[in-house]
Amino acid sequence: AQKITQTQPGMFVQEKEAVTLDCTYDTSDQSYGLFWYKQPSSGEMIFLIYQGSYDEQNATEGRYSLNFQKARKSANLVISASQLGDSAMYFCAMREASYGNNRLAFGKGNQVVVIP
Amino acid sequence: GAVVSQHPSRVICKSGTSVKIECRSLDFQATTMFWYRQFPKQSLMLMATSNEGSKATYEQGVEKDKFLINHASLTLSTLTVTSAHPEDSSFYICSATNQKAGETQYFGPGTRLLVL
């Protein structure tokens, strides 16, 4: 079964508007971590934000925030005030204790294109 | 965030030759490094987990004799694609864990390999 599901098709976002990227996950672990990475066309994977399963508050990092709904097993990324440089692929990933050795399971990604 | 470098950034080689890719953590000690492979428009596929001073752990379906991994120090891991063939052409990207940062994986910029 897929551990991380990202099903949105490619998205076009107007500059300065907010965009929400969906991510649902599947785990039976009590302890796990959720990550979002950005991959621009250059290929590098840029760490954006992290949410631990025991964190009571939603994680925020600058313009990035994570809408963590544990009961629904979702960890959506919200990018506020989109910029042209936000155009990229965005990957949601999960680390489970049972998966071992800090390995990450990645979703298939969301393509975002910010238009002026 | 922590800095991870990768060298070379791109390489073109003839079929049958071997190619070595280096992954370095520049400002932290990485006890664990990971090697991924990514085909165009697809997600990252974990190939192996590399722990300093011990043998790498390969994911199912990844040939350990074809993809040799060495993690000789806390700042360097190498991936050698032996007897490369055109089907090995891909984007190879490494990551390293900085335990001081809560075990977030920080990625290198990736290596584009083209085997002719």
Side-chain angles (χ1 to χ4, degrees):
Chain A
Q2 216 168 9
K3 289 182 178 289
I4 296 287
T5 302
Q6 294 177 262
T7 57
Q8 287 167 302
M11 304 173 70
F12 289 92
V13 181
Q14 198 74 44
E15 194 177 8
K16 299 181 184 177
E17 296 201 342
V19 59
T20 298
L21 307 181
D22 296 341
C23 171
T24 58
Y25 58 92
D26 180 26
T27 181
S28 55
D29 283 15
Q30 296 300 310
S31 175
Y32 53 90
L34 297 156
F35 301 79
W36 277 92
Y37 288 88
K38 170 185 177 182
Q39 187 178 42
S41 57
S42 57
E44 61 192 304
M45 292 284 284
I46 303 166
F47 166 68
L48 296 179
I49 196 166
Y50 167 78
Q51 180 84 43
S53 57
Y54 292 119
D55 294 342
E56 294 186 352
Q57 291 193 332
N58 287 343
T60 61
E61 287 287 347
R63 295 187 298 111
Y64 305 107
S65 60
L66 202 151
N67 183 2
F68 181 45
Q69 298 191 33
K70 196 170 182 177
R72 297 175 64 180
K73 293 188 175 179
S74 75
N76 298 341
L77 176 71
V78 180
I79 307 173
S80 62
S82 298
Q83 302 172 356
L84 296 178
D86 293 335
S87 296
M89 282 289 288
Y90 289 82
F91 290 96
C92 179
M94 177 172 65
R95 181 187 67 224
E96 300 171 280
S98 63
Y99 194 33
N101 214 6
N102 296 323
R103 292 186 294 170
L104 293 178
F106 281 87
K108 293 186 176 181
N110 297 102
Q111 178 75 55
V112 173
V113 176
V114 180
I115 53 178
Chain B
V3 180
V4 177
S5 71
Q6 222 174 303
H7 178 79
S9 59
R10 61 178 65 224
V11 57
I12 301 172
C13 69
K14 291 182 179 179
S15 185
T17 61
S18 294
V19 175
K20 180 186 281 189
I21 302 170
E22 292 186 349
C23 178
R24 293 181 185 272
S25 56
L26 297 185
D27 54 357
F28 65 98
Q29 292 186 329
T31 54
T32 305
M33 290 183 170
F34 302 86
W35 287 96
Y36 295 85
R37 183 173 181 177
Q38 186 180 30
F39 291 106
K41 300 191 185 302
Q42 293 191 21
S43 188
L44 277 70
M45 182 191 79
L46 180 64
M47 298 174 67
T49 302
S50 168
N51 290 299
E52 186 265 337
S54 63
K55 290 183 179 179
T57 302
Y58 290 82
E59 296 298 307
Q60 194 171 12
V62 178
E63 299 176 58
K64 62 181 180 181
D65 294 330
K66 176 143 187 83
F67 299 100
L68 300 178
I69 291 171
N70 183 278
H71 192 161
S73 77
L74 285 172
T75 59
L76 173 64
S77 176
T78 61
L79 167 68
T80 301
V81 183
T82 61
S83 187
H85 290 284
E87 58 265 29
D88 298 324
S89 299
S90 189
F91 185 63
Y92 293 87
I93 189 166
C94 71
S95 70
T97 296
N98 176 354
Q99 294 194 346
K100 289 185 178 180
E103 301 173 346
T104 296
Q105 284 188 31
Y106 293 94
F107 284 79
T111 297
R112 297 194 185 276
L113 171 63
L114 176 61
V115 184
L116 302 176

